[in-house]
Amino acid sequence: MSVSSLLLLCFSAVFAENLVFTRLLGVGPLITVSGKPKAALTVGALITAVMTLSSALAFAARRFVLEPLGAQFLQIIVYVVIIVLLSEGAGLLLSRFLPALYGIVSVYMPLVPANCAVLGASLLSVQFGHGFVQSVLFGFFGSLGFALALFVFCGVRERLELADPPRSFAGVPMYLVALGLIALAFCGFKGVDFGGGSLFPFTLS
Amino acid sequence: MRKSVSYFAKTGLLTRNPAAIQLLGLCFLLAASASLKDALTLGVCAVLVLVCSNVTLSLLRGLIPDSARVPAYLITAAGFVTVAELAVSAWLPSAGRSLGIYLPLMAVNSLFLARADAFASENGPAASALDGVFMGLGYALVLVITAFVRELLGAGRIFGFSVFGRAFTGVPFFALPAGAFVCLGFVIAAFRFVKRKTEERK
Amino acid sequence: MQKSNERGAFYGIAVTAAITALAVILAVLVNLAASPFIKRNADESVRSTVALVFDGVTGYEDLTEDFGVDGTSALYRVISGTGGEDRYCVICGNDARFIVGFRGDGIITAVRALSADGVQLKAGQTDADKELLAQFGGISADAEGVHIKNVSGATVDASAAVGAVNTACSAVRALLGLDGEASEEE
């Protein structure tokens, strides 16, 4: 767990393993919230906070509660409870201290727990066998990757509004095709070699 | 306000298709549509979990306050998805392995949340079960169609059987995440087209 | 629906807690029913993965807890029906997995590329890949570091393979006590 392998992890969480463009998670909230840039910023920040904390708590829950009891099958329920508690907590804090901002995003609040990226980051950490530091870093940088996707897509969407697609394609189908092209660009990160082995040794799995 | 079975079928499969029209649970349509086998497994799980979740939450309707809606719906879905995951690991292990994290991830599928909120919380268990069946089938339908296109174009196979032999072994683009986005976009556009034509005919 | 909105916040928490408890009970019951099958499937999957590098496998002993190092996901002592010497295999890597088979004296017998779910990678079976992986045969675990000629595989990355084999070697070195101390293996 050297510093360089941790840096590699952070970089790959944002680019090569981008939760949206490589792992295909969090697409729902991406499309829903990218129409309103101000709300998008807040929702992105909330998701970052919830994802990082939930990665930490999920690791702790798995290591100190589920594994000793041999109850790994309860992982889904436990992780969802953690995410839900953190989301509700974040919502409460926001409504208490920044009520104007909360007013803008209150419609989008369910998107914070109910998106695949938050739970997905914790589950990926389990699959990769991450330790505590790695889980938290993966959660944090993974959410930054999501924020990056949101930022890029907000801009793309503005341009798409000016386009004139066939009627059936107007709206989400067009957004999906645009996201596909961006995803193709992100594929380029798969071939990056840092001297310690490329981030994605296999081209297709 | 009795609705007939054909009403549920029509809305669930086409006019209010949860994937193509309501745009719920898009992540799985992208991730699990790489192969038909994955798509079918996930689709069947989606139907079963949706029916169970809808019926359970319909029975509990009136007991769940507004403030606890989202947590309650998510945890119920998580419970049934856990059951599905255990069942798949026990009796369909290769399908479970190839789905990877995407089966447990169904716990946060907005499909379950949205149907619970829009339907099961205000209707009886029988109607909620019907809604669950047809909305689930509609979701599975989009998933399977997308998977069919992606597997055929991406690998020249259906269910792992090579259809064109050596003449065409697929365009790798469709197996990539980028291909998933594009295919799904086309499938949704196709659904909308069919929906519009059906409505124009009336 | 009006009635339920007027109850306090604690009611909401209580309802959520009750639903969680019910979900947990359901999961526990299903797990009781399903776990024998799950265990059997896991066992079969390990056997078939180990069979990629060894023949005649009748059983295995999981030594991952005791001897696994950072980067290895599994380490098994392989038992074969013919009662020959002990053999070991190590599964390394996160996204790109490799299984490395060792003889009892620490010499590598074979390396195979695995997908994330432990099945042999179809893509990793082209001639170029086989040539790459065959270079690891015969290397001893107590070598300082594994070096091979710079051959690149079609889909298997040479540096990933080297890294995985190095990790496997370090695990087996610790297991067999090859770190400069002569020790007897059974």
Side-chain angles (χ1 to χ4, degrees):
Chain A
M1 205 175 59
S2 59
V3 175
S4 63
S5 76
L6 286 178
L7 282 176
L8 199 64
L9 175 79
C10 300
F11 182 84
S12 72
V14 179
F15 295 106
E17 275 271 346
N18 186 290
L19 293 178
V20 177
F21 296 116
T22 310
R23 294 282 169 175
L24 304 170
L25 305 172
V27 178
L30 189 72
I31 291 182
T32 313
V33 119
S34 53
K36 301 241 163 64
K38 198 163 177 195
L41 199 65
T42 319
V43 171
L46 279 173
I47 289 180
T48 305
V50 171
M51 249 172 92
T52 316
L53 287 172
S54 74
S55 294
L57 288 177
F59 178 85
R62 191 180 160 91
R63 176 72 105 66
F64 300 119
V65 177
L66 293 180
E67 271 170 17
L69 292 175
Q72 285 93 330
F73 62 93
L74 290 179
Q75 157 179 289
I76 304 172
I77 299 178
V78 170
Y79 284 12
V80 168
V81 168
I82 291 174
I83 292 171
V84 155
L85 287 174
L86 285 171
S87 309
E88 294 288 308
L92 268 170
L93 285 175
L94 198 65
S95 65
R96 188 71 57 88
F97 296 112
L98 292 168
L101 212 53
Y102 183 74
I104 303 176
V105 298
S106 59
V107 185
Y108 301 116
M109 280 309 291
L111 287 177
V112 177
N115 89 51
C116 309
V118 183
L119 183 59
S122 303
L123 291 177
L124 280 173
S125 283
V126 172
Q127 184 180 302
F128 290 149
H130 283 160
F132 180 72
V133 176
Q134 291 157 316
S135 297
V136 174
L137 284 176
F138 187 72
F140 179 66
F141 283 93
S143 63
L144 286 189
F146 177 81
L148 175 68
L150 197 52
F151 176 69
V152 168
F153 190 62
C154 278
V156 169
R157 193 165 158 163
E158 270 181 43
R159 293 295 192 91
L160 284 177
E161 303 294 336
L162 302 170
D164 185 25
R167 229 183 340 163
S168 298
F169 272 91
V172 175
M174 209 65 233
Y175 301 153
L176 286 172
V177 174
L179 282 170
L181 294 176
I182 305 175
L184 200 54
F186 268 77
C187 260
F189 291 109
K190 286 196 182 186
V192 178
D193 185 352
F194 283 87
S198 69
L199 294 165
F200 260 60
F202 301 120
T203 51
L204 293 170
S205 54
Chain B
M1 205 170 57
R2 283 293 160 94
K3 297 183 182 127
S4 66
V5 176
S6 65
Y7 168 82
F8 284 106
K10 191 143 170 278
T11 48
L13 295 173
L14 184 63
T15 57
R16 307 258 316 136
N17 184 298
I21 311 294
Q22 296 185 58
L23 305 169
L24 300 169
L26 291 177
C27 322
F28 301 92
L29 302 173
L30 297 166
S33 57
S35 76
L36 260 178
K37 191 172 162 209
D38 288 348
L40 270 175
T41 317
L42 204 71
V44 168
C45 288
V47 175
L48 294 173
V49 172
L50 184 58
V51 170
C52 292
S53 159
N54 265 10
V55 169
T56 309
L57 290 168
S58 166
L59 292 170
L60 293 175
R61 73 188 188 282
L63 289 175
I64 301 176
D66 257 9
S67 58
R69 264 181 322 133
V70 169
Y73 300 162
L74 280 176
I75 295 174
T76 311
F80 287 114
V81 168
T82 307
V83 171
E85 195 202 3
L86 286 170
V88 165
S89 310
W91 294 293
L92 292 170
S94 61
R97 274 196 295 270
S98 87
L99 277 174
I101 59 164
Y102 295 104
L103 182 54
L105 215 42
M106 291 284 274
V108 288
N109 192 338
S110 46
L111 172 69
F112 307 132
L113 197 67
R115 292 324 297 165
D117 200 34
F119 199 89
S121 58
E122 288 165 14
N123 291 279
S128 299
L130 274 179
D131 178 81
V133 167
F134 288 106
M135 285 287 167
L137 283 177
Y139 187 80
L141 185 65
V142 175
L143 187 54
V144 165
I145 292 176
T146 315
F148 179 75
V149 171
R150 276 186 76 197
E151 197 177 356
L152 194 62
L153 293 177
R157 295 165 189 264
I158 297 182
F159 276 114
F161 291 115
S162 203
V163 171
F164 300 109
R166 281 190 163 196
F168 177 69
T169 49
V171 180
F173 173 74
F174 292 102
L176 293 176
F181 279 109
V182 172
C183 277
L184 185 63
F186 274 81
V187 170
I188 292 181
F191 259 83
R192 287 188 171 187
F193 181 76
V194 171
K195 176 189 171 189
R196 223 185 40 233
K197 289 297 167 196
T198 332
E199 281 169 358
E200 273 171 14
R201 224 174 276 147
K202 291 193 193 130
Chain C
M1 289 296 274
Q2 291 300 321
K3 198 164 61 161
S4 58
N5 285 338
E6 286 160 13
R7 298 176 192 157
F10 288 113
Y11 178 72
I13 296 176
V15 167
T16 313
I19 291 180
T20 312
L22 285 174
V24 168
I25 292 172
L26 179 65
V28 168
L29 289 174
V30 174
N31 185 57
L32 277 175
S35 63
F37 297 96
I38 296 177
K39 286 206 179 78
R40 194 190 59 186
N41 289 330
D43 186 57
E44 268 170 36
S45 116
V46 171
R47 274 170 203 269
S48 64
T49 309
V50 172
L52 291 175
V53 288
F54 289 130
D55 297 323
V57 176
T58 52
Y60 64 91
E61 188 189 341
D62 192 340
L63 299 173
T64 317
E65 294 264 318
D66 305 319
F67 293 102
V69 300
D70 210 24
T72 62
S73 48
L75 197 163
Y76 303 111
R77 185 174 72 89
V78 177
I79 305 163
S80 64
T82 54
E85 60 171 5
D86 281 347
R87 296 176 291 176
Y88 304 89
C89 64
V90 188
I91 301 179
C92 304
N94 292 324
D95 221 19
R97 291 192 186 194
F98 295 89
I99 180 169
V100 188
F102 292 87
R103 286 196 334 229
D105 53 0
I107 307 279
I108 295 177
T109 54
V111 177
R112 296 278 178 270
L114 301 174
S115 63
D117 47 352
V119 174
Q120 181 164 16
L121 203 60
K122 281 206 185 101
Q125 288 187 52
T126 63
D127 289 332
D129 295 329
K130 282 190 188 161
E131 204 184 302
L132 167 68
L133 294 176
Q135 290 181 89
F136 294 107
I139 294 179
S140 171
D142 60 5
E144 279 279 319
V146 175
H147 298 290
I148 54 169
K149 286 197 299 260
N150 200 12
V151 174
S152 54
T155 44
V156 174
D157 177 52
S159 34
V162 168
V165 171
N166 269 321
T167 314
C169 286
S170 65
V172 170
R173 267 202 296 275
L175 169 68
L176 295 178
L178 294 173
D179 295 336
E181 293 169 23
S183 67
E184 214 168 71
E185 319 99 37
E186 300 166 302

